[in-house]
Amino acid sequence: MDKELCQRLTAVLVHELIPALGCTEPIAIAYCTSCAASLLEQVPDKIILEASSNIIKNVKSVIVPNSHGMKGIEAAAILGALACAPERKLEVLEGLTDEQIAQAERLLSEGICEVRRLESTHPLHIIARCQADGHEALAEICDQHTHLVRLALDGENKIEEHVGNASAEQSFDFSDLQLKDLMDYVEEGHFAEAEKSLLRQLELNSAIAEEGLSNQWGASIGRLHKEKISGEEKAFIARKMAIAMASAGSDARMSGCDLPVVINSGSGNQGMTVSMPPYAYARVYDIPHERLMKALALANLIALYQKNFIGRLSAFCGAVSAAVGSVCAVAWMLGGDEDLLQRIINNTLGTISGMVCDGAKASCASKIAAALNVAFDAYDLAERGISFASGDGIVKANADETIRAVGRMARLGMRATDAEIIDIMLSKTAEKGSAR
């Protein structure tokens, strides 16, 4: 396999598989205000937070981690400014004290944070202005959750001095790749440099999954699926445990659990969805560690491959692309070949590509369960040699073409859907007609 391509894919895994505490959108806001506040070197008396519609959508209903149950944009912004630890990036709120949380509650009640909707062509876009004693510090994040593109104190550029400067961020293009390239990469064992990231994903994500299964978090979707496990059949136990663990992790993190998750495509829920099913199957089937690591690499790469065409934030629910990657990896781990994976992808994307993202909240765990159920059904069909044919809706002749078609639909076709979802969530769309 081409050495340059191997290096590219390894770099993708290392760059993307990073830990985050809580939902990544409120954490991105907290990171942004933390960057700005660190320049002031004091607690701001005013925060002006501008956020793109997709950021607002994903922060509106989710509990900010390590905050004693605080929710929303203002809370995330104030807590980030108080944490003042930009070097922690997506774990910026990890070290919050009870005193800081109490201070945040007071500042929140005083209304020091003003939130504005940012009209931007970038779905992921945040600008934070922190003010104190006549000084203003500004931080701006764009396109990726820690991609700092502007940092200034009283108009003077400071970004070169900052630990999280823009040059540290990278973007990756999958447009010249195919499913076979990803399979060749893992089968030939080229990902040794990324193994630390993969091991960390298993360790952290399984820990929060176990927390979600053991205690009451959110709607307890994961516990619901675990309670359905019965009998002795390995396939049934593995499938139910895969869905239960992925959903339980989401239950916990959407409800404010302070355990970190290793993300995929900038999302902790997608990180849970790609990692827990291969882990669950490996436990039930006693899969050797090396093969599990390869399957985990494949799951992450197939999910990232799809999101490359979709974008990080859109109206398309990322649990779908993550479930595709995860179940393909399970199938490969159990001996499946490229033709089987092609059928799984076409069957899944031909069924559930219409599931929308209406922000981060407790029901995300249910969407993960739904996406994985569909993907496992797609696997069952694929094993029987059944695949939706080219021309069946958006399904194309092969998985690579279908992935690109779905990416086009999500990135371009669902723009109006995304805007309408956001308007509905912000109660700006009047209801028409009446219930009957």
Side-chain angles (χ1 to χ4, degrees), residues 85-100:
E87 69 279 0
R88 291 180 174 169
K89 293 202 171 182
L90 295 182
E91 296 178 284
V92 66
L93 300 184
E94 184 180 36
L96 283 177
T97 64
D98 289 342
E99 291 77 14
Q100 286 175 315

Side-chain angles (χ1 to χ4, degrees), residues 143-154:
D143 293 331
Q144 297 189 42
H145 292 78
T146 57
H147 187 190
L148 193 65
V149 296
R150 191 162 48 135
L151 185 66
L153 177 63
D154 295 330

Side-chain angles (χ1 to χ4, degrees), residues 159-198:
I159 197 166
E160 291 87 353
E161 306 166 17
H162 189 72
V163 66
N165 66 51
S167 64
E169 298 295 332
Q170 305 175 55
S171 59
F172 299 93
D173 185 8
F174 281 76
S175 59
D176 61 332
L177 301 182
Q178 295 181 326
L179 175 64
K180 186 178 187 303
D181 296 316
L182 310 184
M183 295 183 69
D184 287 346
Y185 171 78
V186 299
E187 287 174 352
E188 294 175 21
H190 293 296
F191 60 92
E193 293 177 25
E195 188 161 359
K196 181 179 178 181
S197 300
L198 294 166

Side-chain angles (χ1 to χ4, degrees), residues 206-282:
S206 61
I208 196 170
E210 294 293 351
E211 170 63 25
L213 290 174
S214 301
N215 296 294
Q216 178 72 42
W217 289 99
S220 289
I221 302 299
R223 294 176 74 183
L224 174 69
H225 280 273
K226 185 181 180 182
E227 288 168 4
K228 294 179 180 179
I229 296 175
S230 62
E232 300 295 329
E233 187 182 349
K234 278 187 175 182
F236 181 82
I237 294 171
R239 183 167 301 192
K240 280 300 178 184
M241 186 55 70
I243 296 170
M245 294 191 75
S247 302
S250 179
D251 283 325
R253 63 186 301 272
M254 291 293 95
S255 299
C257 180
D258 60 2
L259 293 175
V261 164
V262 171
I263 63 179
N264 179 288
S265 305
S267 164
N269 281 343
Q270 291 169 59
M272 292 300 304
T273 309
V274 296
S275 60
M276 288 299 93
Y279 175 69
Y281 269 78

Side-chain angles (χ1 to χ4, degrees), residues 46-61:
K46 179 70 176 179
I47 299 173
I48 300 172
L49 195 288
E50 298 178 78
S52 57
S53 296
N54 283 90
I55 292 291
I56 292 173
K57 177 178 74 172
N58 277 1
V59 182
K60 178 178 178 291
S61 302

Side-chain angles (χ1 to χ4, degrees), residues 302-303 305-307 309-310 316-325 328 341-355 371 374-379 387-388 392-396 398-410:
I302 292 176
Y305 178 36
Q306 295 169 84
K307 289 303 292 286
F309 301 101
I310 294 168
F316 186 94
C317 179
V320 174
S321 48
V324 168
C328 279
L341 270 59
Q342 292 265 352
R343 293 194 293 273
I344 291 172
I345 292 170
N346 271 0
N347 289 346
T348 308
L349 295 181
T351 303
I352 200 173
S353 290
M355 188 158 69
V374 170
F376 278 121
D377 285 347
Y379 180 11
S387 176
F388 298 134
D392 286 353
I394 59 174
V395 174
K396 297 298 181 181
N398 58 58
D400 297 295
E401 292 180 17
T402 300
I403 286 170
R404 285 161 172 77
V406 169
R408 175 184 170 186
M409 177 194 72

